[in-house]
Amino acid sequence: MKIWFWPIVIGWLSATALLLGLLFDNAWDELASLILALPVLLTLWFAWREP
């Protein structure tokens, strides 16, 4: 169960951000963009980290 915690959190945040972007405007769109950037930034962080 421990291995699935962070992928589930990231997936939940991404789904929430997509809904925020679809349902609300203005500042909510900006917040959705920031939240959707999180998986990209995490991928880059772990890809460039030294093993």
Side-chain angles (χ1 to χ4, degrees):
M1 182 64 180
K2 239 199 281 192
I3 196 166
W4 289 102
F5 179 74
W6 287 112
I8 289 172
V9 168
I10 292 169
W12 184 82
L13 283 173
S14 297
T16 303
L18 288 172
L19 284 173
L20 284 175
L22 285 171
L23 298 177
F24 302 105
D25 287 331
N26 301 328
W28 292 105
D29 287 334
E30 303 299 325
L31 180 62
S33 297
L34 290 174
I35 295 172
L36 287 173
L38 181 65
V40 175
L41 295 174
L42 286 172
T43 301
L44 291 174
W45 171 262
F46 284 107
W48 285 331
R49 217 177 60 165
E50 288 189 36

